[in-house]
Amino acid sequence: MTNAECGSDFPWLTQKAWAVARYGHPVFRVPVDPGWGCPNRDAAGRGGCTFCAEDGGRARQLGGEQALVEQVRRGAAFARERYGAEHLQLYVQAYTATYTSAQNLERTVDRLLNEVPFHSISFGTRPDCLSAATLRLLQRWNADREVWVELGVQSCHDQTLERIQRGHTRACSEAATRLLNDAGLHLCAHLIFGLPGETEDEMLASVDWVAGLPFHGMKFHNLHILRGSPMGEAWLASPFPVLDEVTYLQTLAQGLRRIPANLPVFRVYTDSPPELRLAPQQVMPKGVFLHRLEEYMRRQGWRQGDDFTGN
Ligand code: SF4
């Protein structure tokens, strides 16, 4: 579904325009954090991705399943009362949402679905954390409601992936994408611009790579260096330049041109807690960034997909 088919003249296909055209309503996410940890920290012992400030020792969900049930009850009630939400999406996030046994995943998510009749589910995960049993489970849920998998691929460059201790390769991301797509699931790619050592051309090469894979949605993030992350420690020891927001905006605009026009863009900007953010030190409010991106693309006469060269 393109912007024109959604009746929107916006330079890129926003989640809202896409969702209203697809479901008849905007999507309201109800996040839940089951605290299942992350294989890149816990199992492999690599210390996690260098940009990540998630505290591996953070208290796991206190109160177990009952606390998760309370989280979704409150979240769903808030979205309905405050926004009149019609389409509720269960968003299993934080750490790696498939880093638990398939039995535990099944019991937990089924319990939450019994509590609130979610219209769709989204799982945020890594390309190397998808067992055959988990895949079957995602397919089972997908038979009744849309299941989305947000895959943190971050970059197509193995050198970068190694530099940031990501713990998986480009080939692993490609294999996971095909596996999930063949299973009939809906896939959103997560890319980060500004990873250390990457040029703008390399960032755009990652966009071209994603655009050639069977993804159904996109999320773009600009790198923030956070206190408590290995990258933050390195920056404090010896500050290094970080992608500034104007360069990010211009590179992102080119990236948007290079993805298919029918790919909804779920995110284009990073939010991070100011007390944790070391760099960039000055950031625009999200609304200002979105407005400037829109203005910039309109001024240039650019639209999402107008420089997409794939099939
Ligand atoms: S970004 Fe995700 S995969 Fe990487 S260390 Fe953090 S929680 Fe783990």
PDB file of all heavy atoms in Angstrom, residues 37-41 47-49 51-54 94-96 126 154 166, ligand 1:
ATOM      1  N   GLY A  37      15.856 -11.339  29.184  1.00  0.00           N
ATOM      2  CA  GLY A  37      17.297 -11.244  28.982  1.00  0.00           C
ATOM      3  C   GLY A  37      17.688 -11.226  27.521  1.00  0.00           C
ATOM      4  O   GLY A  37      16.850 -11.064  26.634  1.00  0.00           O
ATOM      5  N   CYS A  38      18.980 -11.404  27.298  1.00  0.00           N
ATOM      6  CA  CYS A  38      19.519 -11.234  25.954  1.00  0.00           C
ATOM      7  C   CYS A  38      20.676 -12.211  25.751  1.00  0.00           C
ATOM      8  O   CYS A  38      21.585 -12.249  26.575  1.00  0.00           O
ATOM      9  CB  CYS A  38      19.986  -9.786  25.844  1.00  0.00           C
ATOM     10  SG  CYS A  38      21.276  -9.569  24.631  1.00  0.00           S
ATOM     11  N   PRO A  39      20.627 -12.987  24.676  1.00  0.00           N
ATOM     12  CA  PRO A  39      21.686 -13.984  24.479  1.00  0.00           C
ATOM     13  C   PRO A  39      23.054 -13.356  24.242  1.00  0.00           C
ATOM     14  O   PRO A  39      24.065 -13.988  24.487  1.00  0.00           O
ATOM     15  CB  PRO A  39      21.212 -14.751  23.233  1.00  0.00           C
ATOM     16  CG  PRO A  39      20.274 -13.835  22.532  1.00  0.00           C
ATOM     17  CD  PRO A  39      19.637 -12.985  23.592  1.00  0.00           C
ATOM     18  N   ASN A  40      23.063 -12.120  23.771  1.00  0.00           N
ATOM     19  CA  ASN A  40      24.345 -11.492  23.470  1.00  0.00           C
ATOM     20  C   ASN A  40      25.068 -11.048  24.739  1.00  0.00           C
ATOM     21  O   ASN A  40      26.238 -10.735  24.721  1.00  0.00           O
ATOM     22  CB  ASN A  40      24.143 -10.281  22.541  1.00  0.00           C
ATOM     23  CG  ASN A  40      25.411  -9.911  21.802  1.00  0.00           C
ATOM     24  OD1 ASN A  40      26.273 -10.756  21.586  1.00  0.00           O
ATOM     25  ND2 ASN A  40      25.531  -8.655  21.429  1.00  0.00           N
ATOM     26  N   ARG A  41      24.347 -10.987  25.827  1.00  0.00           N
ATOM     27  CA  ARG A  41      24.974 -10.694  27.114  1.00  0.00           C
ATOM     28  C   ARG A  41      25.067 -11.954  27.950  1.00  0.00           C
ATOM     29  O   ARG A  41      26.115 -12.315  28.447  1.00  0.00           O
ATOM     30  CB  ARG A  41      24.079  -9.744  27.929  1.00  0.00           C
ATOM     31  CG  ARG A  41      24.251  -8.340  27.663  1.00  0.00           C
ATOM     32  CD  ARG A  41      23.264  -7.595  28.568  1.00  0.00           C
ATOM     33  NE  ARG A  41      23.079  -6.262  28.068  1.00  0.00           N
ATOM     34  CZ  ARG A  41      23.971  -5.302  28.212  1.00  0.00           C
ATOM     35  NH1 ARG A  41      25.094  -5.538  28.842  1.00  0.00           N
ATOM     36  NH2 ARG A  41      23.739  -4.118  27.717  1.00  0.00           N
ATOM     37  N   GLY A  47      29.239  -9.547  26.486  1.00  0.00           N
ATOM     38  CA  GLY A  47      29.092  -8.238  27.116  1.00  0.00           C
ATOM     39  C   GLY A  47      28.076  -7.367  26.417  1.00  0.00           C
ATOM     40  O   GLY A  47      27.862  -6.229  26.788  1.00  0.00           O
ATOM     41  N   GLY A  48      27.431  -7.902  25.386  1.00  0.00           N
ATOM     42  CA  GLY A  48      26.353  -7.158  24.724  1.00  0.00           C
ATOM     43  C   GLY A  48      26.861  -6.243  23.628  1.00  0.00           C
ATOM     44  O   GLY A  48      28.068  -6.022  23.467  1.00  0.00           O
ATOM     45  N   CYS A  49      25.918  -5.708  22.873  1.00  0.00           N
ATOM     46  CA  CYS A  49      26.244  -4.768  21.793  1.00  0.00           C
ATOM     47  C   CYS A  49      26.844  -3.510  22.429  1.00  0.00           C
ATOM     48  O   CYS A  49      26.364  -3.068  23.484  1.00  0.00           O
ATOM     49  CB  CYS A  49      24.979  -4.384  21.027  1.00  0.00           C
ATOM     50  SG  CYS A  49      24.011  -5.823  20.533  1.00  0.00           S
ATOM     51  N   PHE A  51      26.593  -0.442  21.834  1.00  0.00           N
ATOM     52  CA  PHE A  51      25.749   0.756  21.970  1.00  0.00           C
ATOM     53  C   PHE A  51      24.677   0.581  23.046  1.00  0.00           C
ATOM     54  O   PHE A  51      23.956   1.514  23.365  1.00  0.00           O
ATOM     55  CB  PHE A  51      25.060   1.083  20.625  1.00  0.00           C
ATOM     56  CG  PHE A  51      24.197  -0.041  20.094  1.00  0.00           C
ATOM     57  CD1 PHE A  51      22.909  -0.225  20.559  1.00  0.00           C
ATOM     58  CD2 PHE A  51      24.690  -0.913  19.143  1.00  0.00           C
ATOM     59  CE1 PHE A  51      22.118  -1.260  20.081  1.00  0.00           C
ATOM     60  CE2 PHE A  51      23.909  -1.954  18.649  1.00  0.00           C
ATOM     61  CZ  PHE A  51      22.622  -2.131  19.126  1.00  0.00           C
ATOM     62  N   CYS A  52      24.558  -0.625  23.590  1.00  0.00           N
ATOM     63  CA  CYS A  52      23.391  -0.958  24.417  1.00  0.00           C
ATOM     64  C   CYS A  52      23.652  -0.690  25.888  1.00  0.00           C
ATOM     65  O   CYS A  52      24.624  -1.178  26.456  1.00  0.00           O
ATOM     66  CB  CYS A  52      23.028  -2.419  24.214  1.00  0.00           C
ATOM     67  SG  CYS A  52      21.638  -2.939  25.225  1.00  0.00           S
ATOM     68  N   ALA A  53      22.732   0.067  26.479  1.00  0.00           N
ATOM     69  CA  ALA A  53      22.874   0.372  27.904  1.00  0.00           C
ATOM     70  C   ALA A  53      21.892  -0.426  28.746  1.00  0.00           C
ATOM     71  O   ALA A  53      21.745  -0.167  29.929  1.00  0.00           O
ATOM     72  CB  ALA A  53      22.652   1.859  28.139  1.00  0.00           C
ATOM     73  N   GLU A  54      21.200  -1.396  28.097  1.00  0.00           N
ATOM     74  CA  GLU A  54      20.281  -2.226  28.886  1.00  0.00           C
ATOM     75  C   GLU A  54      21.095  -2.893  29.974  1.00  0.00           C
ATOM     76  O   GLU A  54      22.141  -3.485  29.706  1.00  0.00           O
ATOM     77  CB  GLU A  54      19.639  -3.311  28.002  1.00  0.00           C
ATOM     78  CG  GLU A  54      18.688  -2.767  26.979  1.00  0.00           C
ATOM     79  CD  GLU A  54      17.284  -2.578  27.527  1.00  0.00           C
ATOM     80  OE1 GLU A  54      17.112  -2.636  28.766  1.00  0.00           O
ATOM     81  OE2 GLU A  54      16.376  -2.369  26.730  1.00  0.00           O
ATOM     82  N   ALA A  94      11.938  -5.134  24.921  1.00  0.00           N
ATOM     83  CA  ALA A  94      13.042  -5.069  25.893  1.00  0.00           C
ATOM     84  C   ALA A  94      13.870  -6.337  25.797  1.00  0.00           C
ATOM     85  O   ALA A  94      13.342  -7.437  25.699  1.00  0.00           O
ATOM     86  CB  ALA A  94      12.536  -4.863  27.320  1.00  0.00           C
ATOM     87  N   TYR A  95      15.156  -6.161  25.789  1.00  0.00           N
ATOM     88  CA  TYR A  95      16.076  -7.280  25.599  1.00  0.00           C
ATOM     89  C   TYR A  95      15.702  -8.016  24.309  1.00  0.00           C
ATOM     90  O   TYR A  95      15.533  -7.405  23.271  1.00  0.00           O
ATOM     91  CB  TYR A  95      16.064  -8.224  26.803  1.00  0.00           C
ATOM     92  CG  TYR A  95      16.533  -7.578  28.067  1.00  0.00           C
ATOM     93  CD1 TYR A  95      15.617  -7.176  29.030  1.00  0.00           C
ATOM     94  CD2 TYR A  95      17.884  -7.366  28.293  1.00  0.00           C
ATOM     95  CE1 TYR A  95      16.060  -6.588  30.197  1.00  0.00           C
ATOM     96  CE2 TYR A  95      18.325  -6.770  29.461  1.00  0.00           C
ATOM     97  CZ  TYR A  95      17.408  -6.384  30.395  1.00  0.00           C
ATOM     98  OH  TYR A  95      17.831  -5.788  31.545  1.00  0.00           O
ATOM     99  N   THR A  96      15.511  -9.347  24.401  1.00  0.00           N
ATOM    100  CA  THR A  96      15.226 -10.138  23.210  1.00  0.00           C
ATOM    101  C   THR A  96      13.962 -10.943  23.494  1.00  0.00           C
ATOM    102  O   THR A  96      13.964 -11.838  24.341  1.00  0.00           O
ATOM    103  CB  THR A  96      16.420 -11.075  22.909  1.00  0.00           C
ATOM    104  OG1 THR A  96      17.596 -10.279  22.764  1.00  0.00           O
ATOM    105  CG2 THR A  96      16.195 -11.860  21.640  1.00  0.00           C
ATOM    106  N   ARG A 126      16.432 -10.662  17.833  1.00  0.00           N
ATOM    107  CA  ARG A 126      17.673 -10.724  17.062  1.00  0.00           C
ATOM    108  C   ARG A 126      17.564 -11.810  16.002  1.00  0.00           C
ATOM    109  O   ARG A 126      16.843 -12.780  16.200  1.00  0.00           O
ATOM    110  CB  ARG A 126      18.832 -11.106  17.991  1.00  0.00           C
ATOM    111  CG  ARG A 126      19.145 -10.152  19.083  1.00  0.00           C
ATOM    112  CD  ARG A 126      20.086 -10.800  20.106  1.00  0.00           C
ATOM    113  NE  ARG A 126      21.221 -11.459  19.477  1.00  0.00           N
ATOM    114  CZ  ARG A 126      22.382 -10.873  19.186  1.00  0.00           C
ATOM    115  NH1 ARG A 126      22.550  -9.601  19.492  1.00  0.00           N
ATOM    116  NH2 ARG A 126      23.360 -11.547  18.623  1.00  0.00           N
ATOM    117  N   GLN A 154      20.504  -3.899  12.074  1.00  0.00           N
ATOM    118  CA  GLN A 154      21.392  -2.754  12.388  1.00  0.00           C
ATOM    119  C   GLN A 154      22.295  -2.293  11.238  1.00  0.00           C
ATOM    120  O   GLN A 154      22.440  -1.118  11.016  1.00  0.00           O
ATOM    121  CB  GLN A 154      22.260  -3.018  13.635  1.00  0.00           C
ATOM    122  CG  GLN A 154      21.559  -3.708  14.796  1.00  0.00           C
ATOM    123  CD  GLN A 154      20.289  -3.037  15.286  1.00  0.00           C
ATOM    124  OE1 GLN A 154      19.762  -2.142  14.642  1.00  0.00           O
ATOM    125  NE2 GLN A 154      19.738  -3.472  16.407  1.00  0.00           N
ATOM    126  N   ARG A 166      27.984  -7.189  17.820  1.00  0.00           N
ATOM    127  CA  ARG A 166      26.585  -7.529  17.652  1.00  0.00           C
ATOM    128  C   ARG A 166      26.350  -9.042  17.819  1.00  0.00           C
ATOM    129  O   ARG A 166      25.267  -9.468  18.200  1.00  0.00           O
ATOM    130  CB  ARG A 166      26.150  -7.023  16.257  1.00  0.00           C
ATOM    131  CG  ARG A 166      24.719  -7.206  15.915  1.00  0.00           C
ATOM    132  CD  ARG A 166      23.772  -6.417  16.793  1.00  0.00           C
ATOM    133  NE  ARG A 166      22.405  -6.831  16.542  1.00  0.00           N
ATOM    134  CZ  ARG A 166      21.388  -6.637  17.345  1.00  0.00           C
ATOM    135  NH1 ARG A 166      21.541  -5.997  18.484  1.00  0.00           N
ATOM    136  NH2 ARG A 166      20.185  -7.062  17.031  1.00  0.00           N
TER     137      ARG A 166
HETATM  138  S1  SF4 B   1      20.842  -4.329  21.927  1.00  0.00           S
HETATM  139 FE1  SF4 B   1      19.579  -6.137  22.314  1.00  0.00          FE
HETATM  140  S2  SF4 B   1      20.877  -7.817  21.649  1.00  0.00           S
HETATM  141 FE2  SF4 B   1      22.261  -6.084  21.958  1.00  0.00          FE
HETATM  142  S3  SF4 B   1      22.977  -6.268  24.077  1.00  0.00           S
HETATM  143 FE3  SF4 B   1      21.181  -4.931  24.085  1.00  0.00          FE
HETATM  144  S4  SF4 B   1      19.443  -6.261  24.573  1.00  0.00           S
HETATM  145 FE4  SF4 B   1      21.166  -7.557  23.865  1.00  0.00          FE
END
